[in-house]
Amino acid sequence: MSQPSVTIVEVGCRDGLQNEKTIIASDRKIALIGLLADAGLTRIEATAFVSPKWVPQMADHDEVMRNAPRRPGLVLSALVPNEEGAAAAIAAGAQELAVFASASETFAQKNTNCTIAQSIERFRPVMALAAVHGLPVRGYVSCAIDCPYEGAIEPEAVRNVSERLIGIGCGEVAVADTIGRASPERVDRMLADVTRGIAASHLACHFHDTSGQALANIDVALAFGIRIFDSAVGGLGGCPYAPGAAGNVATEAVVAHLTRLGYDTGIDTGKLAHARALALRLKTGAGSCD
Ligand code: HMG
Ligand code: MG
């Protein structure tokens, strides 16, 4: 009998490197994407076409997306906040777009300088552009558990924003524990509500791992039938507008955990170790430019 499969979305090159203190050289980022592709990752969020004033670490988005390795079966995606970012990402060769909303009004303001409702309106032209180019769009919902400014967020608010993202045409919604404080009980409560409105096949989970609960939280999501998980090689990560956000759960830990549970991730752990080694060098600044 064949093993059930799980898809891992590698977000280290974006969510990880956006948060590094030093600016990482573009060729190092491109090398990391290459090693991740070699390891068998098929969905890699390569960079973010956001304002360089807001996130200087992603200012080389054009260079990275244009020169990132292309492989059959590999989808390189770009995080975009608006039409300007979407147009630039598509011109640079992005194969998927990711828009990002929040279940917390304060975080929406801090991260994107607009209300939740305004962010959804900003995404409409992004969806239209993506449709013209035949690209899939994923939608993130930040603060699906806690907001760094507002504290606990009600599951209903998460479902509401998730449904709006699906309503404007996102094929997948990634519910995100932005500051990594989720417990399995709270993930269970949140997903019980969200899956009332959205089928598990359209959901992904994005866990940061501040409390060391991310793998247990993934187990809860698996029980809901969710089969798409975000992670960052080497546990890179954080959000510059979410104080206290630690790294994303490490890709190598997720692969080991899912393999133990009997899932096929399609990832070669030996090759993933090479990507991890580079990620850790970048994290400590050894591979970055001055
Ligand atoms: P704003 O300042 O309100 O934007 O920022 P604006 O529309 O008023 O434009 C001001 C200037 O920004 C203009 O330039 C625009 O051209 C430029 P100027 O005329 O002053 O020279 N601009 C852009 N430049 C490049 N690319 C663009 C772009 N858009 C406008 N796309 C904006 C609003 C949304 C742009 C800004 O707030 C922003 O870029 N925010 C991004 C913040 C961010 O990247 N946060 C981290 C990623 S989200 C995350 O990590 C959470 C996640 O991992 C899930 C989770 O864990 O929760 C996804
Ligand atoms: Mg994140």
Side-chain angles (χ1 to χ4, degrees):
M1 208 175 75
S2 68
Q3 287 178 301
S5 66
V6 165
T7 300
I8 295 185
V9 179
E10 173 60 50
V11 296
C13 306
R14 191 279 305 169
D15 207 349
L17 300 183
Q18 75 181 9
N19 210 41
E20 288 304 309
K21 300 267 178 298
T22 48
I23 301 290
I24 311 288
S26 310
D27 67 339
R28 299 291 74 209
K29 297 178 181 179
I30 294 163
L32 182 58
I33 294 168
L35 291 176
L36 289 163
D38 289 347
L41 271 308
T42 54
R43 293 181 64 182
I44 300 178
E45 200 169 83
T47 184
F49 285 76
V50 296
S51 162
K53 286 184 195 137
W54 282 65
V55 185
Q57 293 86 342
M58 295 285 110
D60 62 348
H61 39 229
D62 214 60
E63 165 94 9
V64 170
M65 187 56 84
R66 283 183 194 278
N67 296 299
R70 308 279 155 164
R71 307 274 164 81
L74 168 65
V75 175
L76 294 178
S77 71
L79 191 78
V80 302
N82 52 18
E83 185 176 14
E84 185 175 339
I90 293 170
Q95 295 160 306
E96 181 182 2
L97 301 180
V99 293
F100 51 111
S102 166
S104 150
E105 283 293 355
T106 311
F107 188 72
Q109 287 292 349
K110 298 271 188 191
N111 199 39
T112 51
N113 201 23
C114 65
T115 64
I116 297 170
Q118 284 166 340
S119 72
I120 302 286
E121 289 313 306
R122 275 184 192 170
F123 300 154
R124 290 187 194 278
V126 173
M127 305 308 300
L129 259 184
V132 166
H133 292 271
L135 301 185
V137 184
R138 128 186 280 218
Y140 283 99
V141 179
S142 286
C143 305
I145 300 286
D146 277 340
C147 167
Y149 307 100
E150 292 184 16
I153 298 295
E154 280 306 312
E156 196 187 346
V158 184
R159 175 163 50 83
N160 193 287
V161 179
S162 302
E163 286 175 342
R164 283 150 86 181
L165 289 170
I166 293 283
I168 61 169
C170 291
E172 172 182 305
V173 167
V175 286
D177 177 22
T178 309
I179 53 174
R181 289 206 304 228
S183 62
E185 294 71 26
R186 295 186 66 202
V187 172
D188 185 73
R189 209 176 134 239
M190 184 270 290
L191 289 177
D193 201 315
V194 172
T195 53
R196 283 173 50 211
I198 299 174
S201 55
H202 292 281
L203 288 171
C205 282
H206 176 106
F207 293 117
H208 288 256
D209 202 17
T210 317
S211 308
Q213 293 284 299
L215 296 179
N217 294 335
I218 285 175
D219 289 346
V220 173
L222 285 167
F224 278 92
I226 293 171
R227 296 290 180 268
I228 304 171
F229 296 101
D230 295 5
S231 60
V233 66
L236 295 171
C239 172
Y241 295 97
N248 296 84
V249 61
T251 304
E252 54 276 19
V254 176
V255 171
H257 184 68
L258 291 172
T259 305
R260 266 195 306 274
L261 294 178
Y263 292 96
D264 178 18
T265 62
I267 291 168
D268 178 324
T269 50
K271 291 183 177 168
L272 184 61
H274 297 304
R276 178 175 186 271
L278 175 56
L280 295 184
R281 283 207 303 279
L282 297 181
K283 197 173 179 176
T284 57
S288 58
C289 60
D290 295 325

